[in-house]
Amino acid sequence: MISRVADHCFWFGRYLERTENMARILAVTQNLALDAEIPTQQCWLPVIIVAGQKAHFGAEHGEEAAADGELVQRYMSFDEDNPTSLRSSISAARWNARSIREVVSLEVWETVNELHLWVNSEEAREEFRSSRYAFYRRVRQLTQLCLGLTQSTMLNDTPLDFIWLGVLLERVGQTARTLDVHHHALTNLPPPPPSEMSAQAQGALRRQHRVVETALWLSLLRACSGFEPFMKLNQGQVSEQAVAQFLLYEPRFPRSIRHCVHAAFARLCEIRPPDSVALPGGESLERLQLLHQWVADRATEAFDPMAVHAALTHVVDETAMICDGIGRELLGYGPPDSNPTVTSQ
Amino acid sequence: MAHGPRGPSSGSFTPVLLENPGAGLFAGYTPLPGAYDELFGRDGAPRPEFLRTATLLGALAPNEFARAQHLAELALLNQGVTFSVYADQRGAEKIFPLCLIPRMLSAADWAHMERGLEQRVRALGLFLDDVYGDQRILKEERVPRDLVLGSGQYLKQVHGLRPPGGVRIHIAGVDIIRDPAGTFRVLEDNLRTPSGVSYVLENRLISKRVLPHLLDKARVQRVDHYPARLAETLRSVSPASPSGTSAVVLTPGPYNSAYFEHSFLARTMGLELVQAPDLFVDQDQVFVRTTRGPRRVHVIYRRIDEAFLDPEAFRPDSLLGVRGLMRAYAAGNVALANAPGNGVADDKAVYPFVPEMIRYYLGEEPVLEQVPTYLCMRDDDRRYVLDHLDQLVVKAVDEAGGYGMLMGPQSTAAQRDEFRARIQATPRRYIAQHRIELSTSPTWDPTAKTAVPRRLDLRPYVLTGRDGSWVLPGGLTRVALVAGSYVVNSSQGGGSKDTWVLKGPGENAQRTPSVGAPGAGPAAVNNDPPGAAPGSDPPEAP
């Protein structure tokens, strides 16, 4: 398959996943801000951090503006200068699909095109104003429809492998960053009650603390579409350790880091079989395999809550390196004028 | 035919027969005085060959038609059937407006047109062979030597080269108008990278979706096998065996105004769409960069100008293109469609000599008429043109898309002065023609909610492979949507219509069955709505 086309497939998948993920996080956070008795900035700033827009948002509006949930939602939904806004991501997904219009199926193309037309329409603005929930839901549904259509209307062939490689690697990064930001926020909760307080007051604060903490963990699970699967596996026992372990290592959960790394490795094996040493892509495959092994090894060890941040950082960094390598080896990111050596006809 | 509903972008449309037909689509329709109307005769009645279809169309209530028209436009938008607007910095895409009222051509008219087009493209191909070979026609002074070799489109780099497969004009788009007497006249030949055929196919899909009952009864020749025919044409000129051939479509990229068409053709042919940086040449062979390393390419349907094909051969300053491509072409290792250098035959200043070419190479009389043309490089012609600028249409020979034109009868004195100066400075660059009153066809006016006469032209497409030519039944009808306008170009506010070539009596199947080569056949066209029978002829009416 043509390297440039593979590149568009890869990014088409990444942008779709990014869109769907952000729409879910926004909806969940809106819900959280209504329920949890925590400062609004503590709700909304993580959204901006997960999107990697802390600096840009700060420069545009000042970091304190993250206390304004409406502003954050507008910024993350429609802002054209924010490359991670829903509108920007949808536009990028659509642009990639249009660039490979002959590769994606008509149904996939129509769906992403309609999503793009809709999100830029007055109708979408009106829905954003009148029913926020419906707005995010529509974005998610059309994005998921699009991803589903790739699997039910396209050949099980290299283009589809590249689309899903993009989806899965994006998902690894999203889950890792979302978990990391929440983990960070929770370790920064107000310190435990001072000992000179009355036992009664201590108990009340601790209970309140636990309520807030549980609400945040639940919102994290919802942000990763993991609420129901988590509850099924843990029978309603919500703890920091259980949630982190679930999102990192649960092999049966489709958004866990372990599952996504494993699935991405399988896709890359389809694209570049491990025994095809003459084909490009060997380094990326090896690196992804190492990450896969690394995650699998940790999954079986005793869980160390203190090591969560370091583990997530490793995952995010390695994923970025793997994406770079795939770009160089398979997607033609090399210097523009270099002709590869002719190996076959 | 059951066309299932398909979201907001479709929905078939059942004609409502009115109790009072006078209130229907054509109520109050008055053909333009002095023009030939494609649908209605001088007596105001539909032409006999179109009576049945016109009656069915005319029975539609304007409100229902307005709804159908809206559905059609929405479908085009949702599918991204668009062209890009260069003037718009943000790369806006617009739909090429479609008028759902079809333009109809009778079986007899079409048979005449097909014969004329095939003859014309054959002669033009022989002319190109000659110009890039022995130059007999120039030596015998049947066509002025300076005119041809002085054309900006003459490529001396390809002189003496025989293209792989022996074909130069694989795809021709010939612009045709109809004068007030009803005579078809060739206005222009497009032998380089003629565009627009994707709209022909998309317009038909929309007609099938929105007006299935009408199309069913009208007995219209199908068009959806064009991509399969084109793929077959490309394979036929391959330097490799047809089954071992790798053919690609070469596009300048998504910013190009015709990008939709490039991807449409690649998709419907099942070929890869490549950009120049995807290709490279090694030892005079062309390769495409893939995720599994380089792969040989044998045929390139190129939709980029030849000036940008190969920086080594044409534009050293350009970073676009594929270095060494022309060497590979010269070595016979890759076929290019269309062949570089064809522009010398569709030069507007060479156009007046095409009837002479037909007589010279074929020993036949031209089947199709042309438009009488003044060549400003000739002294007598130039004098006449300069004296009659207010009556003539002046065109620059090297511009297309309706640019660089003077519409004399509608021009201001200042515009005429400007053109007078331009003609005197570079007479070779200009030709002039008397304005021909273009034919009209009933066209939907969304404001007045009724059908009004609007001027139109036709661009049929001729495919030529190793074994001869084939003409797509119909072609692109472009229509001037603005009252009084003569300009039909998409870049100048024109729109399009579906072109219905009616089958002749007893003409039940296609005369030429589509072939069963791999990737060919109706299955290659996969964008029919579910429920439609892709590629099948509409059932015959009794």
Side-chain angles (χ1 to χ4, degrees):
Chain A
M1 142 175 227
I2 295 170
S3 302
R4 178 185 49 81
V5 174
D7 186 37
H8 285 302
C9 285
F10 184 72
W11 280 99
F12 176 58
R14 289 195 71 170
Y15 280 117
L16 278 182
E17 176 64 19
R18 198 173 284 182
T19 304
E20 201 259 340
N21 204 56
M22 186 45 68
R24 185 155 16 79
I25 289 179
L26 287 168
V28 165
T29 308
Q30 203 212 4
N31 194 40
L32 174 75
L34 294 174
D35 273 351
E37 292 161 7
I38 47 175
T40 48
Q41 196 193 9
Q42 218 172 314
C43 285
W44 289 107
L45 192 58
V47 175
I48 290 171
I49 296 171
V50 167
Q53 294 303 308
K54 195 175 170 189
H56 183 259
F57 181 84
E60 291 277 298
H61 304 287
E63 210 167 287
E64 287 69 38
D68 181 352
E70 278 300 302
L71 176 71
V72 174
Q73 290 184 70
R74 275 203 307 279
Y75 175 76
M76 284 313 307
S77 295
F78 292 111
D79 196 322
E80 283 182 66
D81 296 327
N82 170 11
T84 59
S85 71
L86 294 176
R87 184 167 155 182
S88 300
S89 295
I90 290 166
S91 164
R94 191 250 185 198
W95 173 255
N96 278 285
R98 185 171 179 265
S99 302
I100 48 168
R101 185 52 203 85
E102 75 290 356
V103 174
V104 297
S105 71
L106 177 70
E107 284 162 275
V108 168
W109 160 249
E110 270 187 342
T111 307
V112 73
N113 193 40
E114 286 183 40
L115 174 59
H116 164 80
L117 293 171
W118 178 77
V119 86
N120 283 290
S121 69
E122 188 44 45
E123 191 192 334
R125 293 264 178 190
E126 179 50 39
E127 188 144 284
F128 185 79
R129 279 190 290 269
S130 62
S131 172
R132 194 62 50 84
Y133 170 78
F135 174 83
Y136 293 135
R137 186 165 177 269
R138 173 115 177 207
V139 172
R140 289 182 55 194
Q141 282 188 329
L142 283 174
T143 319
Q144 286 171 333
L145 176 60
C146 209
L147 281 174
L149 282 170
T150 63
Q151 289 181 307
S152 57
T153 64
M154 287 178 61
L155 280 178
N156 276 308
D157 205 354
T158 320
L160 190 65
D161 287 329
F162 272 106
I163 291 174
W164 277 86
L165 186 63
V167 170
L168 291 161
L169 289 175
E170 178 73 18
R171 202 173 273 178
V172 170
Q174 292 282 0
T175 300
R177 277 197 305 274
T178 311
L179 177 55
D180 197 24
V181 166
H182 272 74
H183 190 261
H184 180 75
L186 286 162
T187 47
N188 283 348
L189 273 180
S195 53
E196 61 268 23
M197 272 178 116
S198 72
Q200 204 182 0
Q202 274 191 27
L205 197 57
R206 213 176 288 123
R207 270 195 301 280
Q208 194 195 342
H209 201 173
R210 201 178 307 123
V211 168
V212 169
E213 193 184 302
T214 307
L216 283 175
W217 285 125
L218 293 180
S219 88
L220 169 59
L221 284 170
R222 290 201 178 91
C224 297
S225 275
F227 178 75
E228 288 173 56
F230 176 87
M231 289 304 180
K232 284 196 176 82
L233 288 178
N234 290 275
Q235 292 159 11
Q237 290 171 300
V238 182
S239 70
E240 174 190 354
Q241 177 176 336
V243 172
Q245 199 156 12
F246 176 79
L247 291 179
L248 267 165
Y249 301 131
E250 175 51 53
R252 291 164 291 177
F253 177 55
R255 284 175 193 278
S256 81
I257 285 164
R258 186 176 177 190
H259 177 91
C260 293
V261 170
H262 177 76
F265 177 63
R267 289 283 177 175
L268 194 53
C269 286
E270 290 293 322
I271 290 164
R272 197 277 188 192
D275 51 0
S276 310
V277 286
L279 294 182
E283 285 174 38
S284 302
L285 190 73
E286 199 174 325
R287 194 148 197 157
L288 188 51
Q289 186 175 20
L290 282 175
L291 179 62
H292 177 220
Q293 194 58 50
W294 187 90
V295 174
D297 288 348
R298 268 155 200 71
T300 51
E301 287 172 5
F303 186 80
D304 175 8
M306 301 312 288
V308 168
H309 175 67
L312 291 170
T313 306
H314 179 74
V315 168
V316 169
D317 290 348
E318 271 306 295
T319 308
M321 293 300 285
I322 288 161
C323 288
D324 280 354
I326 289 172
R328 251 181 298 106
E329 289 190 284
L330 297 169
L331 307 179
Y333 289 179
D337 256 335
S338 66
N339 285 343
T341 334
V342 178
T343 51
S344 66
Q345 297 198 357
Chain B
M1 282 166 80
H3 291 244
R6 197 162 178 262
S9 63
S10 80
S12 80
F13 166 63
T14 315
V16 178
L17 287 172
L18 295 178
E19 289 183 14
N20 172 13
L25 193 55
F26 300 129
Y29 182 78
T30 323
L32 213 60
Y36 179 93
D37 193 88
E38 299 283 343
L39 195 57
F40 287 90
R42 284 187 205 285
D43 55 358
R47 297 183 182 280
E49 57 271 38
F50 307 130
L51 184 61
R52 180 167 54 169
T53 320
T55 308
L56 284 163
L57 264 172
L60 301 180
N63 278 338
E64 281 298 281
F65 189 86
R67 193 174 72 87
Q69 176 71 32
H70 174 70
L71 287 176
E73 285 165 14
L74 197 60
L76 291 174
L77 187 64
N78 282 337
Q79 287 176 31
V81 182
T82 54
F83 66 96
S84 308
V85 186
Y86 285 131
D88 193 317
Q89 286 300 311
R90 296 178 58 192
E93 299 154 36
K94 290 191 175 158
I95 64 165
F96 187 21
L98 161 68
C99 166
L100 257 192
I101 305 174
R103 184 257 189 89
M104 279 174 267
L105 288 164
S106 70
D109 276 350
W110 185 249
H112 168 79
M113 184 98 80
E114 254 184 332
R115 232 179 21 253
L117 289 167
E118 187 275 330
Q119 177 194 54
R120 191 173 177 94
V121 170
R122 192 153 40 103
L124 286 163
L126 290 169
F127 171 71
L128 284 166
D129 282 343
D130 192 18
V131 166
Y132 290 113
D134 298 342
Q135 303 190 335
R136 262 192 321 133
I137 200 168
L138 306 184
K139 284 173 192 154
E140 294 178 27
E141 294 176 0
R142 305 287 282 267
V143 178
R145 185 182 192 87
D146 295 349
L147 177 85
V148 173
L149 301 185
S151 166
Q153 303 299 327
Y154 170 71
L155 279 194
K156 58 178 182 303
Q157 293 95 326
V158 300
H159 195 98
L161 289 186
R162 184 99 185 124
V167 181
R168 293 179 192 269
I169 312 170
H170 310 80
I171 304 104
V174 182
D175 290 347
I176 289 182
I177 59 173
R178 200 173 226 195
D179 71 13
T183 307
F184 290 115
R185 290 178 184 276
V186 174
L187 188 62
E188 186 172 309
D189 303 290
N190 295 284
L191 311 178
R192 283 170 277 179
T193 53
S195 65
V197 74
S198 58
Y199 299 106
V200 176
L201 276 63
E202 284 288 347
N203 288 353
R204 179 62 55 83
L205 279 176
I206 298 287
S207 294
K208 279 164 117 174
R209 194 180 292 176
V210 185
L211 300 171
H213 303 80
L214 273 179
L215 199 68
D216 190 12
K217 293 203 167 62
R219 304 183 70 244
V220 178
Q221 290 212 46
R222 60 189 275 214
V223 296
D224 58 1
H225 49 334
Y226 179 86
R229 284 294 187 143
L230 176 57
E232 187 195 341
T233 301
L234 296 175
R235 272 194 303 270
S236 82
V237 296
S238 171
S241 73
S243 60
T245 285
S246 161
V248 297
V249 179
L250 175 61
T251 174
Y255 289 106
N256 186 267
S257 67
Y259 179 74
F260 165 75
E261 173 152 307
H262 306 161
S263 67
F264 177 94
L265 290 173
R267 177 165 54 88
T268 50
M269 288 192 284
L271 301 186
E272 281 173 322
L273 183 65
V274 304
Q275 298 178 18
D278 299 331
L279 300 177
F280 71 96
V281 175
D282 188 74
Q283 296 177 14
D284 293 349
Q285 294 182 329
V286 184
F287 295 86
V288 58
R289 296 171 212 269
T290 82
T291 55
R292 300 204 151 189
R295 198 192 66 222
R296 222 5 240 286
V297 170
H298 306 97
V299 182
I300 300 175
Y301 177 25
R302 50 109 183 172
R303 292 295 300 258
I304 70 180
D305 287 349
E306 56 204 18
F308 298 103
L309 270 182
D310 180 356
E312 193 177 288
F314 301 117
R315 294 266 303 247
D317 56 318
S318 163
L319 290 174
L320 306 168
V322 185
R323 185 169 295 280
L325 182 61
M326 289 306 291
R327 269 187 285 121
Y329 177 67
N333 288 334
V334 67
L336 297 174
N338 283 339
N342 283 4
V344 72
D346 70 12
D347 186 312
K348 290 185 179 75
V350 173
Y351 158 90
F353 298 95
V354 177
E356 183 62 18
M357 294 173 199
I358 293 172
R359 294 185 196 101
Y360 182 77
Y361 294 113
L362 309 178
E364 298 170 9
E365 274 305 301
V367 174
L368 290 171
E369 302 287 338
Q370 309 210 130
V371 179
T373 303
Y374 301 95
L375 282 174
C376 293
M377 65 186 287
R378 288 178 174 157
D379 295 344
D380 290 353
D381 285 17
R382 184 172 63 252
R383 229 169 282 129
Y384 181 86
V385 170
L386 292 176
D387 287 346
H388 297 85
L389 277 178
D390 57 341
Q391 296 163 27
L392 295 168
V393 179
V394 183
K395 297 175 184 172
V397 297
D398 46 8
E399 297 207 52
Y403 295 100
M405 275 175 77
L406 175 76
M407 297 291 281
Q410 290 153 309
S411 64
T412 64
Q415 287 169 331
R416 290 195 292 276
D417 287 344
E418 187 203 328
F419 264 79
R420 184 170 291 115
R422 288 213 234 164
I423 291 169
Q424 282 165 334
T426 48
R428 168 68 178 79
R429 269 197 73 199
Y430 292 94
I431 61 156
Q433 294 163 339
H434 283 284
R435 190 180 72 186
I436 304 240
E437 190 60 60
L438 304 183
S439 62
T440 61
S441 176
T443 300
W444 179 246
D445 178 341
T447 318
K449 289 205 167 186
T450 184
V452 291
R454 290 286 181 264
R455 298 185 177 93
L456 40 73
D457 75 353
L458 179 69
R459 176 178 290 181
Y461 297 87
V462 187
L463 296 181
T464 306
R466 205 190 278 268
D467 302 321
S469 293
W470 174 78
V471 188
L472 174 69
L476 180 65
T477 292
R478 297 182 301 179
V479 54
L481 293 175
V482 181
S485 172
Y486 286 81
V487 185
V488 296
N489 301 86
S490 55
S491 49
Q492 314 263 313
S496 72
K497 283 172 169 291
D498 192 5
T499 312
W500 290 8
V501 173
L502 304 193
K503 289 177 185 171
E507 198 177 354
N508 286 323
Q510 291 294 128
R511 271 168 294 174
T512 38
S514 63
V515 285
V525 181
N526 58 1
N527 43 4
D528 269 47
S536 65
D537 275 333
E540 294 308 315

